[in-house]
Amino acid sequence: GIAVDQSGNVYVADTYNHRIQKFNSSGTYLGQWGNYGTGNGQFNQPYGISTDSSGDVYVTDLLNSRVQVFSSNGVYIRQFGTSGSGNGQFNQANDLTIAFDYQMDKEVIYVGDTFNNRIQKFHLDGTYITK
């Protein structure tokens, strides 16, 4: 996955190296974060990536079945989701996007939940939004 923030920085989910890389708009390498594992800030195949309007970076952690949230500099903020098939749970969260929901008048997250064959909707804090 690839995401671009409002400053033009580019974030790349480097899936099989279990990390996120950051570049400026000219392609200059700015840094990276993450490694293989299950702890906060660790990944087992980061896949989808997006940024919100305040610059936070959201990453689907495919084989850990969760979404992790970081500052633009890679500082871990929070995570949401666990493995399962219930609301707010994932069976391999593979991609996500952040969009403005005009009915709710705020940004929301849509997460592709691969093996549960669905898309789930969340508030930016990770709270599941019921239909």
Side-chain angles (χ1 to χ4, degrees):
I2 298 172
V4 180
D5 68 18
Q6 292 182 349
S7 299
N9 295 309
V10 178
Y11 301 86
V12 178
D14 188 355
T15 301
Y16 297 108
N17 287 316
H18 311 287
R19 66 185 177 188
I20 304 302
Q21 295 192 61
K22 181 179 178 180
F23 303 86
N24 69 16
S25 59
S26 300
T28 302
Y29 174 80
L30 299 176
Q32 66 183 30
W33 67 85
N35 56 20
Y36 176 77
T38 60
N40 295 344
Q42 295 182 316
F43 300 105
N44 191 350
Q45 298 187 9
Y47 200 82
I49 190 166
S50 191
T51 61
D52 66 18
S53 61
S54 63
D56 290 338
V57 181
Y58 296 71
V59 182
T60 56
D61 191 0
L62 184 71
L63 296 181
N64 285 326
S65 293
R66 65 184 177 182
V67 174
Q68 294 195 70
V69 185
F70 301 88
S71 72
S72 62
N73 292 321
V75 176
Y76 173 85
I77 298 173
R78 68 183 168 280
Q79 67 183 7
F80 61 92
T82 58
S83 184
S85 60
N87 292 341
Q89 294 183 318
F90 305 111
N91 188 350
Q92 296 191 12
N94 71 339
D95 209 355
L96 76 151
T97 192
I98 296 174
F100 192 83
D101 185 314
Y102 288 93
Q103 291 179 334
M104 298 179 73
D105 196 32
K106 60 182 166 181
E107 290 177 298
V108 296
I109 308 165
Y110 294 93
V111 181
D113 187 6
T114 305
F115 291 112
N116 285 324
N117 300 305
R118 63 186 179 183
I119 296 171
Q120 296 191 71
K121 185 176 178 180
F122 298 86
H123 295 283
L124 292 184
D125 68 2
T127 306
Y128 175 79
I129 300 173
T130 59
K131 295 179 183 179

